[in-house]
Amino acid sequence: MVRASLIWLNYNSSSFIDIALRSIESALRLDFDDYEVIVVDNASGDGSFEKIKEFVEEKRPSSVRVKFVRSDANRGYAGGMNLGWEAKDPETKYVAFLNNDLIVEPNSLRELIDYMESDDKLAAVSGLVYLGNSKRIYSAGDYVTDHWIAGGVCGNGLEHECPGISKPHYVTYAEGAYMLVNAEIVRRACPGGKPFIDEIFLYLDDALLGLMLWNKGYKTAYIPIKSGYHYANLTTKPVMNYYGLRANTALIMLLDTRFSWIKPFYLLRRDLGYEVLCLFRDEYCRAHRSFLDGYNLAQILRSKIGFKLDLHKAPYVKIGYLDFYLI
C-alpha cells in the first residue's frame, strides 16, 4: 500500500481562523486509505495553534494519523515545511505540502498519487487550484520565463481562457500551496535530502525545488484534476513585497538563461535605481534592502546547491528581445 504524508503549515492564522479550520478539516477528510497529517506551527503567538490543535483532536477521523510539530521560531514556508519533512513517517513514499489558506478537494491526493505512480521520473506534481471561492484560476502549475519572472499558469484566468487546462503538461515547477513530491527522489536530488533550503524563508522555495529537480534529470508536471481553493497570501501579505523582490533577485543570480550575458547590467540598474529613488521615498529604501538581501541569499543558495541551474533543462516561457528591454 502506498503511504503518504501531508504537511500542513500554520502561522498566526487567527485573523482568518475560519478558513484555516476549513483547510485542516479538508486535509483530515481526504479519500485516501493510508496517510498521516503533520501539523506544523511556526511559533504562532496569536492563539491560533491552540485552536487548531483542539479542533483537530475533536474532528480527526480515527483512520488518520496526526502529528503536531511546533517550531521555536517562525521559519517561514521553507523551514516550516522542512520541520514537517523531518517528522514524516520513514515509510512515506509521497509527501504533500499544504498551505493553511487552501481548501483541498477530497479526491485530489489519491488522483495525484495515481498519476505519479505511472512515471518513475516524475518528482513533483500539482493540480488545478482555484482562487478563493471564485471560478478564477490560481494555478495550473507554475512557470519561469527566460527573463526570470515566475508565476502561475493561467493565473487569474477562467477555464475557457486556458486551453491546456484539461491535459497534463510539464511545468517549470509545481505549485507550493498544494504540491505532491516523491520523497525518495527529493532525498536524492536536493541539498541535505530536504525539499527546501531553510534560508529561503518565503517565496522561491517551490520554484527552486522544481528547477533543481529538472537539472537533476527529473520532471515536474501539472495534472488536470481539481485540487483545491486557495485564499492566497492571507499569511504573507504584510511581507510579500519584501520577500517577493528578495526571491526574484536571488533567482536572477542563480538561474542561467539566454539573457545571462546581461545579468550584471540588469542587476546594476536595479541596485542604482532603488538607491537613487530611496532619496525621495522610503518604499524604495525598503526595496533596496530587499534587493541586497536577495543578492546575499543567492550566495548562500549557490554554495548549498553546488551546481549551476540551467533554465533550458526545464519547460519555460520564452520572451522576445524587445519585451526584455521594455521591462
Side-chain angles (χ1 to χ4, degrees):
M1 183 179 292
V2 175
R3 287 192 176 186
S5 299
L6 190 151
I7 303 170
W8 186 87
L9 182 63
N10 180 66
Y11 176 67
N12 282 354
S13 59
S14 62
S15 63
F16 57 96
I17 194 65
D18 56 332
I19 293 173
L21 294 180
R22 285 172 58 199
S23 174
I24 188 60
E25 184 170 24
S26 70
L28 293 170
R29 300 191 179 280
L30 294 172
D31 179 17
F32 194 77
D33 290 333
D34 193 6
Y35 77 104
E36 64 179 357
V37 174
I38 303 168
V39 177
V40 178
D41 184 77
N42 256 334
S44 296
D46 65 345
S48 59
F49 172 70
E50 291 77 11
K51 290 179 182 177
I52 289 162
K53 186 176 182 182
E54 181 181 358
F55 182 87
V56 169
E57 289 173 341
E58 178 185 340
K59 297 285 187 178
R60 77 176 183 90
S62 59
S63 59
V64 180
R65 304 179 300 279
V66 178
K67 298 174 183 174
F68 294 97
V69 178
R70 195 162 199 199
S71 176
D72 58 355
N74 179 12
R75 301 175 187 274
Y77 179 97
M81 290 300 190
N82 277 343
L83 283 179
W85 178 268
E86 292 166 359
K88 73 183 188 308
D89 185 326
E91 300 300 317
T92 283
K93 184 174 182 181
Y94 297 107
V95 178
F97 304 99
L98 185 64
N99 281 4
N100 64 349
D101 54 4
L102 191 143
I103 315 301
V104 65
E105 286 287 291
N107 298 329
S108 58
L109 180 63
R110 174 173 46 80
E111 292 174 335
L112 290 172
I113 287 176
D114 285 347
Y115 193 90
M116 288 194 80
E117 287 280 275
S118 68
D119 187 347
D120 60 7
K121 285 291 186 180
L122 197 52
V125 297
S126 57
L128 178 60
V129 179
Y130 293 94
L131 189 57
N133 274 330
S134 75
K135 294 182 179 181
R136 292 199 171 272
I137 297 166
Y138 178 75
S139 166
D142 291 346
Y143 66 86
V144 174
T145 72
D146 53 7
H147 69 315
W148 306 288
I149 300 299
V153 175
C154 296
N156 206 40
L158 297 170
E159 289 189 27
H160 70 272
E161 299 170 332
C162 188
I165 201 170
S166 62
K167 296 180 181 179
H169 52 256
Y170 292 124
V171 291
T172 318
Y173 62 102
E175 171 52 49
Y178 180 23
M179 166 174 55
L180 183 74
V181 303
N182 181 306
E184 178 58 24
I185 291 177
V186 167
R187 189 190 66 79
R188 292 197 303 262
C190 297
K194 298 186 291 186
F196 309 111
I197 298 174
D198 287 353
E199 286 84 355
I200 291 175
F201 195 79
L202 278 178
Y203 302 135
L204 186 63
D205 28 54
D206 48 3
L208 192 63
L209 174 60
L211 289 164
M212 288 192 295
L213 291 169
W214 280 107
N215 275 260
K216 286 287 188 174
Y218 299 104
K219 298 180 285 189
T220 66
Y222 159 79
I223 312 305
I225 65 155
K226 294 182 179 180
S227 62
Y229 296 82
H230 189 203
Y231 294 80
N233 302 318
L234 292 182
T235 296
T236 61
K237 188 174 182 179
V239 294
M240 61 187 298
N241 290 337
Y242 167 81
Y243 283 104
L245 177 56
R246 174 178 175 263
N248 183 246
T249 302
L251 183 66
I252 293 169
M253 295 186 62
L254 291 169
L255 186 60
D256 283 345
T257 79
R258 66 196 176 108
F259 291 116
S260 290
W261 59 275
I262 205 169
K263 273 188 191 183
F265 306 102
Y266 192 54
L267 292 167
L268 180 62
R269 184 181 74 175
R270 276 196 179 184
D271 187 10
L272 294 179
Y274 288 138
E275 194 167 14
V276 170
L277 291 170
C278 174
L279 299 172
F280 304 98
R281 295 181 65 174
D282 287 346
E283 65 185 272
Y284 290 108
C285 298
R286 293 190 292 271
H288 191 236
R289 171 49 54 194
S290 178
F291 170 83
L292 295 176
D293 288 349
Y295 188 94
N296 293 330
L297 174 64
Q299 313 301 329
I300 296 169
L301 298 179
R302 185 177 287 122
S303 67
K304 293 203 170 190
I305 295 169
F307 60 90
K308 282 191 173 183
L309 291 175
D310 183 355
L311 181 62
H312 303 105
K313 292 184 178 180
Y316 68 94
V317 175
K318 187 175 182 179
I319 68 156
Y321 280 90
L322 180 59
D323 292 328
F324 181 82
Y325 290 119
L326 290 175
I327 62 173

